Amino acid sequence: MKIAIIGAGNMGGAIACGLAATGHFSEGEIVCSNPSMPKLERLKQQYDIISVTTNNQEAAKGADIVVLAVKPWLAEGVVNEIKETFDSPEKMLISVVAEKSFSTLREWLADAECQPAIFRVIPNTAISVGESMTFVAANGATEEQTELIVKIFEYMGEAMLVSEKILEVGMVLASCGIAFALRYVRAAAEGGVELGVPAQQATRIVAATLKGAAELLLRNDSHPEQEIDKVTTAGGITIKGLNEMEHAGFTSAVIRGLKASAGK
Ligand SMILES: NC(=O)c1ccc[n+]([C@@H]2O[C@H](COP(=O)([O-])OP(=O)(O)OC[C@H]3O[C@@H](n4cnc5c(N)ncnc54)[C@H](OP(=O)(O)O)[C@@H]3O)[C@@H](O)[C@H]2O)c1
């Protein structure tokens, strides 16, 4: 199977590396294109099996899956450039471009020889460490094609099949969510420093704690409050801290932040 990734930036590069690291692909199966060479050279240095080119058409030609990973304002031009390579009904397009809907992508591809199955895929930056929360929405795809795309992204973390509407909200929870979670880490680390823990140690402690808390939820499939109950002794120090955070508007601040990011 040939996968062409158009755009070797943060997202395209991370997907290329993520795919290469799975060990499920061999030489020539992952091709990455980018206008300038330095990013491509870095990719090649990391994973020798990734083929690189500065020619988008050359990358997309003969590919089973084309991944569009350029900035939103460049996406239409790139689709125009490669659309003549959509010459087989089996070929699939994955767009990781935020904000560009299925109807826009279909419009751009209207005069392609064959209409591909289109997937909108929104990973987050943790894809570079194989821990992405990735949303997949499908349009004009068979069940088999959809299963394949979900499986590919499951190699690089958790992948969830959702509607286009949920994909857009999910992006706030998962892509912006990386920043929200890390702002908590920074805040907690700063508190730790004030309490006397060296900064680097405090950050590591909070990050590892967050990872452990997430694992508890995911492995136990539990509600956050169930896990919170296990550490809040009546009259104890955890509930004192939690209540103080709530007096300062913790839950409300998080919900308001999410709604602001979602434009609501
Ligand atoms: N970053 C995230 O967390 C995230 C999450 C979900 C979705 N996305 C989406 O992913 C897409 C890419 O974002 P990014 O953060 O990866 O941006 P990025 O780091 O700027 O990467 C974009 C890449 O596209 C290359 N490029 C520019 N013009 C091109 C062309 N005509 N043909 C082929 N490649 C071209 C750029 O090369 P040069 O730099 O050499 O010009 C750059 O390497 C965006 O549409 C964004 O909405 C990002």
PDB file of all heavy atoms in Angstrom, residues 6-12 33-36 39 56 69-72 74 78 81 96-98 122-125 175, ligand 1:
ATOM      1  N   ILE A   6       1.216  14.882   1.739  1.00  0.00           N
ATOM      2  CA  ILE A   6       1.542  16.149   1.094  1.00  0.00           C
ATOM      3  C   ILE A   6       1.693  17.210   2.185  1.00  0.00           C
ATOM      4  O   ILE A   6       0.715  17.596   2.824  1.00  0.00           O
ATOM      5  CB  ILE A   6       0.438  16.568   0.089  1.00  0.00           C
ATOM      6  CG1 ILE A   6       0.014  15.397  -0.817  1.00  0.00           C
ATOM      7  CG2 ILE A   6       0.884  17.783  -0.724  1.00  0.00           C
ATOM      8  CD1 ILE A   6       1.076  14.886  -1.750  1.00  0.00           C
ATOM      9  N   GLY A   7       2.924  17.653   2.392  1.00  0.00           N
ATOM     10  CA  GLY A   7       3.227  18.614   3.467  1.00  0.00           C
ATOM     11  C   GLY A   7       3.951  17.893   4.589  1.00  0.00           C
ATOM     12  O   GLY A   7       3.390  17.001   5.231  1.00  0.00           O
ATOM     13  N   ALA A   8       5.232  18.262   4.781  1.00  0.00           N
ATOM     14  CA  ALA A   8       6.055  17.557   5.784  1.00  0.00           C
ATOM     15  C   ALA A   8       6.282  18.412   7.026  1.00  0.00           C
ATOM     16  O   ALA A   8       7.352  18.389   7.613  1.00  0.00           O
ATOM     17  CB  ALA A   8       7.397  17.154   5.161  1.00  0.00           C
ATOM     18  N   GLY A   9       5.247  19.175   7.421  1.00  0.00           N
ATOM     19  CA  GLY A   9       5.378  20.015   8.614  1.00  0.00           C
ATOM     20  C   GLY A   9       5.110  19.236   9.884  1.00  0.00           C
ATOM     21  O   GLY A   9       5.341  18.021   9.929  1.00  0.00           O
ATOM     22  N   ASN A  10       4.606  19.931  10.910  1.00  0.00           N
ATOM     23  CA  ASN A  10       4.356  19.270  12.204  1.00  0.00           C
ATOM     24  C   ASN A  10       3.479  18.037  12.039  1.00  0.00           C
ATOM     25  O   ASN A  10       3.834  16.946  12.492  1.00  0.00           O
ATOM     26  CB  ASN A  10       3.647  20.248  13.157  1.00  0.00           C
ATOM     27  CG  ASN A  10       4.552  21.405  13.502  1.00  0.00           C
ATOM     28  OD1 ASN A  10       5.743  21.228  13.732  1.00  0.00           O
ATOM     29  ND2 ASN A  10       3.992  22.600  13.528  1.00  0.00           N
ATOM     30  N   MET A  11       2.329  18.228  11.382  1.00  0.00           N
ATOM     31  CA  MET A  11       1.368  17.136  11.289  1.00  0.00           C
ATOM     32  C   MET A  11       1.798  16.077  10.282  1.00  0.00           C
ATOM     33  O   MET A  11       1.855  14.895  10.600  1.00  0.00           O
ATOM     34  CB  MET A  11       0.025  17.728  10.869  1.00  0.00           C
ATOM     35  CG  MET A  11      -1.184  17.276  11.603  1.00  0.00           C
ATOM     36  SD  MET A  11      -1.027  16.174  12.944  1.00  0.00           S
ATOM     37  CE  MET A  11      -1.286  17.236  14.331  1.00  0.00           C
ATOM     38  N   GLY A  12       2.128  16.532   9.048  1.00  0.00           N
ATOM     39  CA  GLY A  12       2.531  15.583   8.006  1.00  0.00           C
ATOM     40  C   GLY A  12       3.769  14.800   8.428  1.00  0.00           C
ATOM     41  O   GLY A  12       3.838  13.575   8.262  1.00  0.00           O
ATOM     42  N   SER A  33       5.890  14.646   0.505  1.00  0.00           N
ATOM     43  CA  SER A  33       6.335  15.753  -0.360  1.00  0.00           C
ATOM     44  C   SER A  33       6.239  17.081   0.372  1.00  0.00           C
ATOM     45  O   SER A  33       5.375  17.271   1.231  1.00  0.00           O
ATOM     46  CB  SER A  33       5.529  15.806  -1.663  1.00  0.00           C
ATOM     47  OG  SER A  33       4.212  16.193  -1.411  1.00  0.00           O
ATOM     48  N   ASN A  34       7.152  17.969   0.028  1.00  0.00           N
ATOM     49  CA  ASN A  34       7.243  19.299   0.658  1.00  0.00           C
ATOM     50  C   ASN A  34       8.005  20.205  -0.310  1.00  0.00           C
ATOM     51  O   ASN A  34       8.877  19.719  -1.039  1.00  0.00           O
ATOM     52  CB  ASN A  34       8.023  19.179   1.986  1.00  0.00           C
ATOM     53  CG  ASN A  34       7.696  20.309   2.948  1.00  0.00           C
ATOM     54  OD1 ASN A  34       6.613  20.337   3.530  1.00  0.00           O
ATOM     55  ND2 ASN A  34       8.613  21.242   3.124  1.00  0.00           N
ATOM     56  N   PRO A  35       7.682  21.514  -0.333  1.00  0.00           N
ATOM     57  CA  PRO A  35       8.377  22.364  -1.311  1.00  0.00           C
ATOM     58  C   PRO A  35       9.873  22.497  -1.077  1.00  0.00           C
ATOM     59  O   PRO A  35      10.637  22.659  -2.021  1.00  0.00           O
ATOM     60  CB  PRO A  35       7.694  23.727  -1.158  1.00  0.00           C
ATOM     61  CG  PRO A  35       6.701  23.618  -0.082  1.00  0.00           C
ATOM     62  CD  PRO A  35       6.663  22.230   0.430  1.00  0.00           C
ATOM     63  N   SER A  36      10.293  22.453   0.206  1.00  0.00           N
ATOM     64  CA  SER A  36      11.730  22.619   0.462  1.00  0.00           C
ATOM     65  C   SER A  36      12.304  21.334   1.053  1.00  0.00           C
ATOM     66  O   SER A  36      11.582  20.558   1.694  1.00  0.00           O
ATOM     67  CB  SER A  36      11.946  23.780   1.433  1.00  0.00           C
ATOM     68  OG  SER A  36      11.174  23.544   2.587  1.00  0.00           O
ATOM     69  N   LYS A  39      13.197  19.779   5.654  1.00  0.00           N
ATOM     70  CA  LYS A  39      12.291  18.954   6.457  1.00  0.00           C
ATOM     71  C   LYS A  39      12.266  17.513   5.944  1.00  0.00           C
ATOM     72  O   LYS A  39      12.199  16.564   6.715  1.00  0.00           O
ATOM     73  CB  LYS A  39      10.874  19.521   6.419  1.00  0.00           C
ATOM     74  CG  LYS A  39      10.705  20.775   7.241  1.00  0.00           C
ATOM     75  CD  LYS A  39       9.285  21.303   7.134  1.00  0.00           C
ATOM     76  CE  LYS A  39       9.195  22.658   7.803  1.00  0.00           C
ATOM     77  NZ  LYS A  39       7.957  23.361   7.493  1.00  0.00           N
ATOM     78  N   ASN A  56       4.594  17.302  -5.595  1.00  0.00           N
ATOM     79  CA  ASN A  56       3.354  16.745  -5.029  1.00  0.00           C
ATOM     80  C   ASN A  56       2.703  15.716  -5.946  1.00  0.00           C
ATOM     81  O   ASN A  56       2.192  14.690  -5.481  1.00  0.00           O
ATOM     82  CB  ASN A  56       2.338  17.863  -4.757  1.00  0.00           C
ATOM     83  CG  ASN A  56       2.792  18.778  -3.637  1.00  0.00           C
ATOM     84  OD1 ASN A  56       3.604  18.390  -2.799  1.00  0.00           O
ATOM     85  ND2 ASN A  56       2.273  19.996  -3.614  1.00  0.00           N
ATOM     86  N   ALA A  69      -1.786  17.534   4.198  1.00  0.00           N
ATOM     87  CA  ALA A  69      -1.339  18.064   5.502  1.00  0.00           C
ATOM     88  C   ALA A  69      -0.659  19.417   5.342  1.00  0.00           C
ATOM     89  O   ALA A  69       0.432  19.641   5.852  1.00  0.00           O
ATOM     90  CB  ALA A  69      -0.405  17.064   6.176  1.00  0.00           C
ATOM     91  N   VAL A  70      -1.336  20.301   4.588  1.00  0.00           N
ATOM     92  CA  VAL A  70      -0.807  21.670   4.419  1.00  0.00           C
ATOM     93  C   VAL A  70      -1.708  22.640   5.171  1.00  0.00           C
ATOM     94  O   VAL A  70      -2.792  22.279   5.615  1.00  0.00           O
ATOM     95  CB  VAL A  70      -0.712  22.070   2.923  1.00  0.00           C
ATOM     96  CG1 VAL A  70       0.264  21.190   2.179  1.00  0.00           C
ATOM     97  CG2 VAL A  70      -2.091  22.040   2.258  1.00  0.00           C
ATOM     98  N   LYS A  71      -1.274  23.878   5.306  1.00  0.00           N
ATOM     99  CA  LYS A  71      -2.082  24.887   5.999  1.00  0.00           C
ATOM    100  C   LYS A  71      -3.404  25.106   5.241  1.00  0.00           C
ATOM    101  O   LYS A  71      -3.424  24.985   4.003  1.00  0.00           O
ATOM    102  CB  LYS A  71      -1.302  26.205   6.083  1.00  0.00           C
ATOM    103  CG  LYS A  71      -0.121  26.142   7.056  1.00  0.00           C
ATOM    104  CD  LYS A  71      -0.594  26.077   8.498  1.00  0.00           C
ATOM    105  CE  LYS A  71       0.569  26.219   9.471  1.00  0.00           C
ATOM    106  NZ  LYS A  71       0.166  25.796  10.835  1.00  0.00           N
ATOM    107  N   PRO A  72      -4.471  25.468   5.961  1.00  0.00           N
ATOM    108  CA  PRO A  72      -5.789  25.587   5.320  1.00  0.00           C
ATOM    109  C   PRO A  72      -5.802  26.484   4.074  1.00  0.00           C
ATOM    110  O   PRO A  72      -6.439  26.156   3.074  1.00  0.00           O
ATOM    111  CB  PRO A  72      -6.664  26.189   6.435  1.00  0.00           C
ATOM    112  CG  PRO A  72      -6.020  25.760   7.705  1.00  0.00           C
ATOM    113  CD  PRO A  72      -4.547  25.692   7.419  1.00  0.00           C
ATOM    114  N   LEU A  74      -3.595  26.937   1.922  1.00  0.00           N
ATOM    115  CA  LEU A  74      -2.866  26.367   0.774  1.00  0.00           C
ATOM    116  C   LEU A  74      -3.557  25.125   0.221  1.00  0.00           C
ATOM    117  O   LEU A  74      -3.200  24.615  -0.840  1.00  0.00           O
ATOM    118  CB  LEU A  74      -1.444  25.982   1.199  1.00  0.00           C
ATOM    119  CG  LEU A  74      -0.535  27.127   1.650  1.00  0.00           C
ATOM    120  CD1 LEU A  74       0.770  26.581   2.221  1.00  0.00           C
ATOM    121  CD2 LEU A  74      -0.249  28.055   0.474  1.00  0.00           C
ATOM    122  N   VAL A  78      -3.252  22.984  -3.538  1.00  0.00           N
ATOM    123  CA  VAL A  78      -2.598  21.663  -3.564  1.00  0.00           C
ATOM    124  C   VAL A  78      -3.560  20.612  -4.136  1.00  0.00           C
ATOM    125  O   VAL A  78      -3.163  19.766  -4.949  1.00  0.00           O
ATOM    126  CB  VAL A  78      -2.089  21.275  -2.153  1.00  0.00           C
ATOM    127  CG1 VAL A  78      -1.645  19.824  -2.123  1.00  0.00           C
ATOM    128  CG2 VAL A  78      -0.947  22.187  -1.730  1.00  0.00           C
ATOM    129  N   GLU A  81      -3.613  20.881  -7.758  1.00  0.00           N
ATOM    130  CA  GLU A  81      -2.371  20.362  -8.341  1.00  0.00           C
ATOM    131  C   GLU A  81      -2.391  18.829  -8.458  1.00  0.00           C
ATOM    132  O   GLU A  81      -1.866  18.279  -9.409  1.00  0.00           O
ATOM    133  CB  GLU A  81      -1.229  20.803  -7.404  1.00  0.00           C
ATOM    134  CG  GLU A  81       0.141  20.718  -7.971  1.00  0.00           C
ATOM    135  CD  GLU A  81       1.185  21.067  -6.899  1.00  0.00           C
ATOM    136  OE1 GLU A  81       0.846  21.771  -5.921  1.00  0.00           O
ATOM    137  OE2 GLU A  81       2.323  20.598  -7.057  1.00  0.00           O
ATOM    138  N   VAL A  96      -6.209  16.335   6.836  1.00  0.00           N
ATOM    139  CA  VAL A  96      -6.044  16.697   8.258  1.00  0.00           C
ATOM    140  C   VAL A  96      -6.230  18.206   8.433  1.00  0.00           C
ATOM    141  O   VAL A  96      -6.027  18.746   9.517  1.00  0.00           O
ATOM    142  CB  VAL A  96      -4.671  16.257   8.849  1.00  0.00           C
ATOM    143  CG1 VAL A  96      -4.464  14.769   8.742  1.00  0.00           C
ATOM    144  CG2 VAL A  96      -3.522  17.012   8.218  1.00  0.00           C
ATOM    145  N   VAL A  97      -6.621  18.854   7.331  1.00  0.00           N
ATOM    146  CA  VAL A  97      -6.757  20.312   7.343  1.00  0.00           C
ATOM    147  C   VAL A  97      -7.977  20.723   8.174  1.00  0.00           C
ATOM    148  O   VAL A  97      -9.099  20.339   7.855  1.00  0.00           O
ATOM    149  CB  VAL A  97      -6.899  20.849   5.899  1.00  0.00           C
ATOM    150  CG1 VAL A  97      -7.020  22.365   5.902  1.00  0.00           C
ATOM    151  CG2 VAL A  97      -5.724  20.396   5.041  1.00  0.00           C
ATOM    152  N   ALA A  98      -7.737  21.476   9.222  1.00  0.00           N
ATOM    153  CA  ALA A  98      -8.854  21.941  10.044  1.00  0.00           C
ATOM    154  C   ALA A  98      -9.693  22.914   9.224  1.00  0.00           C
ATOM    155  O   ALA A  98      -9.186  23.538   8.278  1.00  0.00           O
ATOM    156  CB  ALA A  98      -8.295  22.619  11.293  1.00  0.00           C
ATOM    157  N   ILE A 122      -8.524  14.358  12.385  1.00  0.00           N
ATOM    158  CA  ILE A 122      -7.906  15.372  13.247  1.00  0.00           C
ATOM    159  C   ILE A 122      -7.128  14.673  14.358  1.00  0.00           C
ATOM    160  O   ILE A 122      -7.706  14.215  15.346  1.00  0.00           O
ATOM    161  CB  ILE A 122      -8.963  16.339  13.849  1.00  0.00           C
ATOM    162  CG1 ILE A 122      -9.776  17.049  12.752  1.00  0.00           C
ATOM    163  CG2 ILE A 122      -8.289  17.359  14.765  1.00  0.00           C
ATOM    164  CD1 ILE A 122      -9.036  18.103  11.932  1.00  0.00           C
ATOM    165  N   PRO A 123      -5.819  14.556  14.168  1.00  0.00           N
ATOM    166  CA  PRO A 123      -4.986  14.019  15.253  1.00  0.00           C
ATOM    167  C   PRO A 123      -4.587  15.180  16.163  1.00  0.00           C
ATOM    168  O   PRO A 123      -4.871  16.332  15.850  1.00  0.00           O
ATOM    169  CB  PRO A 123      -3.748  13.490  14.522  1.00  0.00           C
ATOM    170  CG  PRO A 123      -3.925  13.812  13.068  1.00  0.00           C
ATOM    171  CD  PRO A 123      -5.015  14.808  12.953  1.00  0.00           C
ATOM    172  N   ASN A 124      -3.945  14.903  17.265  1.00  0.00           N
ATOM    173  CA  ASN A 124      -3.318  16.010  18.001  1.00  0.00           C
ATOM    174  C   ASN A 124      -1.803  15.811  17.996  1.00  0.00           C
ATOM    175  O   ASN A 124      -1.300  14.806  17.459  1.00  0.00           O
ATOM    176  CB  ASN A 124      -3.921  16.209  19.404  1.00  0.00           C
ATOM    177  CG  ASN A 124      -3.698  15.042  20.345  1.00  0.00           C
ATOM    178  OD1 ASN A 124      -2.773  14.257  20.178  1.00  0.00           O
ATOM    179  ND2 ASN A 124      -4.547  14.936  21.348  1.00  0.00           N
ATOM    180  N   THR A 125      -1.075  16.761  18.552  1.00  0.00           N
ATOM    181  CA  THR A 125       0.383  16.730  18.394  1.00  0.00           C
ATOM    182  C   THR A 125       1.029  15.528  19.100  1.00  0.00           C
ATOM    183  O   THR A 125       2.176  15.207  18.817  1.00  0.00           O
ATOM    184  CB  THR A 125       1.031  18.028  18.926  1.00  0.00           C
ATOM    185  OG1 THR A 125       0.503  18.303  20.219  1.00  0.00           O
ATOM    186  CG2 THR A 125       0.782  19.197  17.999  1.00  0.00           C
ATOM    187  N   SER A 175      -7.332  18.587  20.391  1.00  0.00           N
ATOM    188  CA  SER A 175      -6.180  19.308  19.829  1.00  0.00           C
ATOM    189  C   SER A 175      -5.845  20.508  20.707  1.00  0.00           C
ATOM    190  O   SER A 175      -4.720  20.648  21.197  1.00  0.00           O
ATOM    191  CB  SER A 175      -6.461  19.766  18.396  1.00  0.00           C
ATOM    192  OG  SER A 175      -6.677  18.648  17.571  1.00  0.00           O
TER     193      SER A 175
HETATM  194  N1  LIG B   1      -0.678  21.149  14.494  1.00  0.00           N
HETATM  195  C1  LIG B   1      -1.784  20.601  14.986  1.00  0.00           C
HETATM  196  O1  LIG B   1      -1.983  20.357  16.189  1.00  0.00           O
HETATM  197  C2  LIG B   1      -2.875  20.207  14.026  1.00  0.00           C
HETATM  198  C3  LIG B   1      -3.882  19.386  14.503  1.00  0.00           C
HETATM  199  C4  LIG B   1      -4.875  18.985  13.615  1.00  0.00           C
HETATM  200  C5  LIG B   1      -4.854  19.425  12.291  1.00  0.00           C
HETATM  201  N2  LIG B   1      -3.850  20.255  11.864  1.00  0.00           N
HETATM  202  C6  LIG B   1      -3.871  20.694  10.457  1.00  0.00           C
HETATM  203  O2  LIG B   1      -2.720  20.178   9.816  1.00  0.00           O
HETATM  204  C7  LIG B   1      -2.386  21.029   8.714  1.00  0.00           C
HETATM  205  C8  LIG B   1      -0.882  21.261   8.753  1.00  0.00           C
HETATM  206  O3  LIG B   1      -0.568  21.923   9.959  1.00  0.00           O
HETATM  207  P1  LIG B   1       0.903  21.898  10.543  1.00  0.00           P
HETATM  208  O4  LIG B   1       0.800  22.335  11.943  1.00  0.00           O
HETATM  209  O5  LIG B   1       1.539  20.577  10.203  1.00  0.00           O
HETATM  210  O6  LIG B   1       1.563  23.056   9.609  1.00  0.00           O
HETATM  211  P2  LIG B   1       3.105  23.197   9.169  1.00  0.00           P
HETATM  212  O7  LIG B   1       3.994  22.698  10.234  1.00  0.00           O
HETATM  213  O8  LIG B   1       3.276  24.591   8.682  1.00  0.00           O
HETATM  214  O9  LIG B   1       3.231  22.201   7.930  1.00  0.00           O
HETATM  215  C9  LIG B   1       2.745  22.471   6.663  1.00  0.00           C
HETATM  216  C10 LIG B   1       3.775  21.973   5.675  1.00  0.00           C
HETATM  217  O10 LIG B   1       3.241  22.133   4.368  1.00  0.00           O
HETATM  218  C11 LIG B   1       4.325  22.508   3.534  1.00  0.00           C
HETATM  219  N3  LIG B   1       3.828  23.135   2.308  1.00  0.00           N
HETATM  220  C12 LIG B   1       3.626  24.463   2.053  1.00  0.00           C
HETATM  221  N4  LIG B   1       3.176  24.618   0.792  1.00  0.00           N
HETATM  222  C13 LIG B   1       3.099  23.358   0.243  1.00  0.00           C
HETATM  223  C14 LIG B   1       2.733  22.874  -1.009  1.00  0.00           C
HETATM  224  N5  LIG B   1       2.316  23.685  -2.003  1.00  0.00           N
HETATM  225  N6  LIG B   1       2.797  21.550  -1.227  1.00  0.00           N
HETATM  226  C15 LIG B   1       3.209  20.704  -0.261  1.00  0.00           C
HETATM  227  N7  LIG B   1       3.574  21.105   0.966  1.00  0.00           N
HETATM  228  C16 LIG B   1       3.513  22.419   1.222  1.00  0.00           C
HETATM  229  C17 LIG B   1       5.142  23.443   4.370  1.00  0.00           C
HETATM  230  O11 LIG B   1       6.454  23.535   3.861  1.00  0.00           O
HETATM  231  P3  LIG B   1       7.412  24.814   4.138  1.00  0.00           P
HETATM  232  O12 LIG B   1       7.380  25.061   5.621  1.00  0.00           O
HETATM  233  O13 LIG B   1       8.729  24.353   3.654  1.00  0.00           O
HETATM  234  O14 LIG B   1       6.784  25.929   3.374  1.00  0.00           O
HETATM  235  C18 LIG B   1       5.089  22.727   5.714  1.00  0.00           C
HETATM  236  O15 LIG B   1       6.161  21.820   5.858  1.00  0.00           O
HETATM  237  C19 LIG B   1      -3.164  22.333   8.893  1.00  0.00           C
HETATM  238  O16 LIG B   1      -4.155  22.418   7.886  1.00  0.00           O
HETATM  239  C20 LIG B   1      -3.812  22.216  10.248  1.00  0.00           C
HETATM  240  O17 LIG B   1      -5.116  22.748  10.252  1.00  0.00           O
HETATM  241  C21 LIG B   1      -2.837  20.632  12.705  1.00  0.00           C
END
